[in-house]
Amino acid sequence: GQSCKIGRNGLSSRDASCLQVIIFKMPPENISTDYYLERIAHIAALEKAGINPYPAEPPKRTHRNVELKEGFEALSGSIVSVVGRMLSKRIHGGLTFAHIDDGSAAIQAVLQRNVLKDFYPVARDYFGVGDFIGATGILKATKTGEISVWAQEVSMLAKALRVAPHKILDPEIQQRQRYLYTLVDAEARNKFRIRSQIVQQMREYFIGRLGCL
């Protein structure tokens, strides 16, 4: 029964708090209430631990994931920083393995209890699939040969409240919700990337060669 009013000067502090409560207590129709409330609980736990689930600072990144994989021989043993969306998480005792996708490729981050210390249970329990995270650590392969970032530091960049689908087959959703389609479909992302490069080349030609604005 609570309502929020927006005046000429925007939301008052009271109404802003009211709107925040309404947003967090009303899950979107396409996800389960249990999942949504679990993610809200994760946000509360992160804030209690002193971690902002939506920090304003830009993410720290030294390389794209594809650069680390293609240049592994030269970069192996160096300190690198990666960012991206967590695609998976596996927990084995004092180790947590997470695959991070930045749009160029997915790379594994290895979180170790004996390295992250008190922060390890926070990352293990409250960093989840769909979240955008960052990891800084040593680039080296695991015993099975998988190229990985052995994290010395992990950070939350944006906590996800919705479930991202694995695939989108509905043509209408593909057209109307391009942000979602390109998030989960690598081929769709690549098409947009190629289109952007073509447009950029055309602009440079018309500006540089013909003097057009």
Side-chain angles (χ1 to χ4, degrees), residues 1-36:
Q2 192 175 15
S3 62
C4 303
K5 297 179 180 179
I6 302 178
R8 293 182 178 179
N9 297 323
L11 285 170
S12 67
S13 59
R14 181 186 65 81
D15 286 331
S17 298
C18 157
L19 183 59
Q20 186 180 38
V21 169
I22 289 176
I23 290 173
F24 280 118
K25 286 193 174 181
M26 294 179 63
E29 294 180 357
N30 65 330
I31 63 177
S32 71
T33 301
D34 290 344
Y35 178 91
Y36 189 78

Side-chain angles (χ1 to χ4, degrees), residues 47-87:
E47 291 177 336
K48 186 177 181 180
I51 301 167
N52 186 347
Y54 304 101
E57 297 83 6
K60 179 172 62 175
R61 178 169 72 172
T62 60
H63 301 80
R64 294 188 304 151
N65 293 350
V66 68
E67 294 170 346
L68 297 179
K69 289 192 167 185
E70 293 177 352
F72 177 70
E73 290 188 6
L75 295 170
S76 179
S78 59
I79 301 293
V80 299
S81 295
V82 297
V83 298
R85 184 168 67 98
M86 188 188 296
L87 299 182

Side-chain angles (χ1 to χ4, degrees), residues 43-208:
I43 288 178
L46 289 172
E47 291 177 336
K48 186 177 181 180
I51 301 167
N52 186 347
Y54 304 101
E57 297 83 6
K60 179 172 62 175
R61 178 169 72 172
T62 60
H63 301 80
R64 294 188 304 151
N65 293 350
V66 68
E67 294 170 346
L68 297 179
K69 289 192 167 185
E70 293 177 352
F72 177 70
E73 290 188 6
L75 295 170
S76 179
S78 59
I79 301 293
V80 299
S81 295
V82 297
V83 298
R85 184 168 67 98
M86 188 188 296
L87 299 182
S88 64
K89 183 175 74 171
R90 295 179 291 111
I91 301 171
H92 294 283
L95 294 175
T96 296
F97 301 92
H99 282 89
I100 303 173
D101 184 5
D102 69 350
S104 68
I107 196 166
Q108 180 172 257
V110 182
L111 283 58
Q112 305 169 88
R113 177 186 293 155
N114 62 344
V115 173
L116 298 178
K117 306 295 184 182
D118 292 341
F119 193 79
Y120 176 77
V122 176
R124 177 196 62 198
D125 297 339
Y126 306 124
F127 284 37
V129 173
D131 295 346
F132 283 84
I133 68 170
T136 298
I138 301 173
L139 182 70
K140 63 179 182 179
T142 63
K143 292 181 179 179
T144 59
E146 183 168 1
I147 297 172
S148 305
V149 177
W150 294 73
Q152 299 174 341
E153 177 186 347
V154 289
S155 58
M156 174 62 68
L157 303 178
K159 184 67 182 174
L161 297 180
R162 295 173 180 260
V163 183
H166 293 292
K167 290 184 179 181
I168 296 178
L169 302 178
D170 189 331
E172 184 173 352
I173 295 178
Q174 291 176 359
Q175 295 297 319
R176 291 182 177 273
Q177 295 178 270
R178 292 288 181 89
Y179 60 90
L180 184 60
Y181 185 37
T182 54
L183 176 67
V184 301
D185 193 293
E187 184 177 351
R189 283 198 304 271
N190 192 48
K191 288 180 180 178
F192 273 90
R193 188 176 293 113
I194 292 173
R195 178 185 181 278
S196 177
Q197 293 171 347
I198 292 173
V199 171
Q200 181 65 23
Q201 290 296 321
M202 292 175 62
R203 285 174 175 166
E204 291 177 357
Y205 173 81
F206 282 111
I207 294 173

